Amino acid sequence: MREAVRAGQAGGAPAADPTQQGALWRGLRRVLRHRGAMVGGTIVLALVLVALLAPVLSPYDPYKNDLARIARPPGPGHLLGTDELGRDMLTRLMYGARLSLLVGVTSVGLALVAGTAVGAVSGYLGGWLDLLTMRVIDIMLAFPSTLLAIAITAILGPSLTNAVVAVAIVNVPIYARLVRSSVLSIRELEYVEAARAAGMPTARVIWRHVLPGALAPLIVQSTMSIGSAILEVAGLSFLGLGAAPPAAEWGAMLSRAREFLQTAPWVVTFPGMAIMLAVLGFNLLGDGLRDLLDPRLRHRG
């Protein structure tokens, strides 16, 4: 065995590390065996593909009105029917997936960056800065997230962009506390103290030695938060504080279809089911990643 490895190295080809290959195979096997992760990943992948291929999958224009086909029930030509302005429901749902996924990922990305920075600096430096930061975080967490998002959007002005910013601000405390708790347990470890003793700048210590230890919980929280962000932005759009007509956004579609709840229930049912499916997919995927990334739960593999 040793001679084979030496021969491979002598020939210029790097020898494969069987330990790393075994770890990758075990990780892949755990993913394939975890039903929740597989179901959630399949739903999310399907939504992403539908969003990307919406122009190819549908022959209809999601914004073109057809007054001759107002509120037609599902049937041939319009598998999910038409809405209150004669637009194809399936087409608008597919384009709505593109918009909803975009706002979900954007709001979570903004919250992740801001919350990680706040939590890392607060937890690593400690002292009065940590005390002040955590009190502000506690005040923000004292308000219901939806109510706080409505207040922020009302201050900034009704628009989809401001709704995304509001949802991001509301979620910053979650990431800040999560990163801070990880930093507090990592900053006293020997390799971090060795980096400080070597004179490494504080920012570099946090980036290279502290934050990697908080990566697993951040991945899980971010995945689950995308579904919640989609739901929150849809709620703001439903209240008239998010996407404005004629945007094909699921919450806005629900808001405009309220008057047709009894006469054309499919106009309300399908956007609601799309929101439910997206939230379910990201929640299942996040639960699966949590079970797979938490060392205490790896008995499944």
Side-chain angles (χ1 to χ4, degrees), residues 221-277:
Q221 182 62 47
S222 299
T223 304
M224 300 183 69
S225 295
I226 293 176
S228 300
I230 291 174
L231 183 61
E232 291 173 356
V233 173
L236 293 174
S237 297
F238 182 81
L239 297 175
L241 299 173
E249 197 274 332
W250 293 336
M253 292 171 65
L254 280 173
S255 179
R256 294 191 294 270
R258 285 177 297 178
E259 300 178 0
F260 297 85
L261 181 60
Q262 295 182 347
T263 58
W266 60 88
V267 180
V268 180
T269 302
F270 293 126
M273 291 178 62
I275 296 173
M276 181 198 70
L277 190 64

Side-chain angles (χ1 to χ4, degrees), residues 125-211:
L125 297 181
W128 65 268
L129 179 62
D130 181 42
L131 181 63
L132 177 62
T133 302
M134 288 302 104
R135 296 298 75 78
V136 174
I137 295 298
D138 290 339
I139 293 174
M140 294 181 66
L141 291 174
F143 293 92
S145 59
T146 303
L147 182 60
L148 184 58
I150 291 174
I152 295 173
T153 308
I155 294 173
L156 298 177
S159 72
L160 184 59
T161 301
N162 291 340
V164 171
V165 172
V167 172
I169 294 175
V170 168
N171 284 282
V172 166
I174 298 175
Y175 293 98
R177 297 193 69 170
L178 179 63
V179 173
R180 175 182 177 270
S181 64
S182 298
V183 170
L184 289 176
S185 61
I186 295 173
R187 69 177 183 179
E188 304 300 332
L189 297 180
E190 294 181 357
Y191 68 90
V192 177
E193 293 183 354
R196 286 199 297 261
M200 185 177 293
T202 300
R204 192 175 179 185
V205 173
I206 294 175
W207 179 255
R208 294 191 59 182
H209 299 287
V210 177
L211 285 183

Side-chain angles (χ1 to χ4, degrees), residues 2 8 17 19 28 32 76 82 98 103 110 121 138 140 146 162-163 195 215 220 250 255 294 301:
R2 294 179 179 176
D17 189 347
T19 304
L28 179 60
L32 295 176
T82 60
R98 175 180 297 185
V103 299
L110 293 174
V121 173
D138 290 339
M140 294 181 66
T146 303
N162 291 340
L215 187 59
V220 174
W250 293 336
S255 179
D294 192 337

Side-chain angles (χ1 to χ4, degrees), residues 64-107:
K64 184 178 180 180
N65 301 338
D66 189 352
L67 301 182
R69 300 177 181 270
I70 291 178
R72 288 196 173 184
H78 299 281
L79 297 179
L80 299 184
T82 60
D83 65 3
E84 69 279 5
L85 294 177
R87 297 169 295 195
D88 183 66
M89 283 293 300
L90 180 58
T91 300
R92 287 183 61 77
L93 287 175
M94 289 191 292
Y95 278 86
R98 175 180 297 185
L99 188 57
S100 294
L101 290 175
L102 177 62
V103 299
V105 172
T106 302
S107 60

